Amino acid sequence: MSRNQDEANKAPVLTISANPALDLSVGLAQLVPGALHRAESVELTAAGKGVNMARVLAALGHPVCVTGFLGKDNDAAFVDAFADMGVEDAFVRLPGATRINTKLTEQDGRVSDINAPGLALEEEHWQRLLDTLDQRLSQPQLRPAAVMIGGSLPPGIAPQALGELISRVKAAGIPVWADTSGEALRVAVKAGADAVKPNVEELADWAGRALPGDDAIHQATLELFAAGVGDVVVSAGASGVTWLGQQGLWQSLPPAVKVSNTVCAGDTLFAGLLHGVLCEWSAEQALRFATALSAEAVRHTGVGCSDAGDFSDLLSDTRVRRRNDVEARGVMA
């Protein structure tokens, strides 16, 4: 991705990864439970949703600061990654080691995740993160244009703490985009997150029911928007993206690509969409770019790259349409 996107240079972003990980990506021909496997590829990467989103935004020209919690024992990979990305490292260091998550990727693109719980935190650790956040919010030269929160919460931190963090950022007049799931998603919605990005499974969990088809997904998306979220972005893999907000209801269908690894696709989509919003692009342009960038990401390990030689073709082959101008809060009231 190019770093020469001048229109984004005045839009700094802060990303928060409370529970990052080193991703151990193992490529396999096919996963057979209980069998001996020989890996076709092995890669260890500093990751976590907030880190992945930072990688996308930094490559697109945004000044980015990353924060959250890292274990002192194995932070070298993160330090190197942040230097390569060109982002500011404001992570709180804790005793111990950052977790390692294992991603088993088969040739057909299916990924099996084995996620470790993460470092156990105490209240004083969380307070250190809040202090770091307050420092950046209170100083004009450090103040971000947006905050992205990604991933799960570490052991020892209740979901309600996320709500307090979101409320603190919103009180400073800064939009908060959150990509999380389960109870943390419910808390983020109640706290008034400006944007959330569930996949279909996470949306079904929030709604408390199965979502067997497009109509059911559409209805649950309306309900989530009506709950007070500024923008709802629902990712459904090859079936496309639904984006509902003040700009109306939009849908996109990605271009057909050979799927190799889907791990960073959602993070790429969300960060790419924020990029478009911060650049004040039209809804169609922003969604087209984010969808194409996400499609580029699934072709390899890592986030999407807008410098790919055929990225203009991916943009052209991404279908975007506006469905309607429904005011969901009025409909669902």
Side-chain angles (χ1 to χ4, degrees):
M1 281 179 274
S2 172
R3 292 180 182 274
N4 296 320
Q5 310 233 358
D6 293 337
E7 60 192 322
N9 284 342
K10 295 183 180 180
V13 179
L14 173 69
T15 71
I16 301 176
S17 300
N19 200 20
L22 288 168
D23 275 359
L24 178 62
S25 299
V26 180
L28 302 171
Q30 183 179 16
L31 178 63
V32 180
L36 173 66
H37 298 81
R38 296 191 183 280
E40 297 181 342
S41 63
V42 178
E43 185 174 352
L44 187 65
T45 308
K49 284 185 174 296
V51 174
N52 292 335
M53 292 187 291
R55 186 175 276 111
V56 174
L57 290 164
L60 289 169
H62 296 264
V64 178
C65 176
V66 291
T67 190
F69 301 99
L70 289 176
K72 294 179 180 178
D73 294 354
N74 63 345
D75 74 341
F78 286 93
V79 172
D80 291 343
F82 298 153
D84 289 342
M85 294 157 57
V87 303
E88 181 183 354
D89 177 6
F91 268 89
V92 176
R93 264 54 173 193
L94 301 178
T98 300
R99 64 181 178 153
I100 297 177
N101 290 342
T102 303
K103 315 290 184 182
L104 304 176
T105 303
E106 301 170 68
Q107 286 184 349
D108 64 0
R110 186 176 68 169
V111 179
S112 299
D113 294 325
I114 305 173
N115 289 349
L119 289 165
L121 269 63
E122 299 178 3
E123 186 175 343
E124 65 178 286
H125 300 142
W126 188 257
Q127 185 59 51
R128 287 173 60 189
L129 177 61
L130 294 179
D131 291 343
T132 298
L133 181 63
D134 286 342
Q135 180 186 32
R136 305 199 73 86
L137 298 182
S138 63
Q139 298 184 41
Q141 69 275 21
L142 299 177
R143 182 182 172 90
V147 172
M148 297 198 86
I149 302 173
S152 62
L153 293 172
I157 299 300
Q160 287 68 29
L162 177 62
E164 295 169 3
L165 188 152
I166 291 172
S167 297
R168 187 172 300 215
V169 177
K170 287 182 63 66
I174 298 172
V176 182
W177 286 38
D179 185 358
T180 187
S181 59
E183 186 60 27
L185 174 59
R186 295 182 181 88
V187 169
V189 171
K190 290 180 181 179
D194 293 272
V196 295
K197 192 210 69 61
N199 58 31
V200 174
E201 292 75 16
E202 292 163 348
L203 179 63
D205 179 73
W206 178 86
R209 63 182 186 274
L211 304 177
D214 289 344
D215 289 344
I217 294 171
H218 174 71
Q219 180 62 28
T221 302
L222 287 172
E223 293 170 10
L224 183 50
F225 180 69
V229 179
D231 287 272
V232 179
V233 183
V234 180
S235 55
S239 297
V241 180
T242 298
W243 180 20
L244 174 60
Q246 298 302 324
Q247 76 290 331
L249 177 62
W250 290 80
Q251 288 186 319
S252 65
L253 188 65
V257 296
K258 179 176 173 54
V259 177
S260 175
N261 192 312
T262 62
V263 171
C264 294
D267 304 335
T268 295
L269 171 72
F270 208 35
L273 194 59
L274 176 63
H275 170 71
V277 170
L278 292 175
C279 289
E280 299 183 353
W281 290 350
S282 67
E284 179 180 2
Q285 184 182 7
L287 184 56
R288 183 182 303 278
F289 176 83
T291 303
L293 194 63
S294 180
E296 202 291 318
V298 305
R299 304 190 299 185
H300 54 78
T301 300
V303 300
C305 179
S306 64
D307 278 350
D310 63 344
F311 188 69
S312 60
D313 294 331
L314 295 178
L315 282 172
S316 298
D317 293 340
T318 298
R319 293 158 52 189
V320 178
R321 64 170 179 149
R322 185 172 190 166
R323 285 194 54 172
N324 56 41
D325 298 312
V326 64
E327 172 50 64
R329 293 191 181 94
V331 171
M332 301 305 301

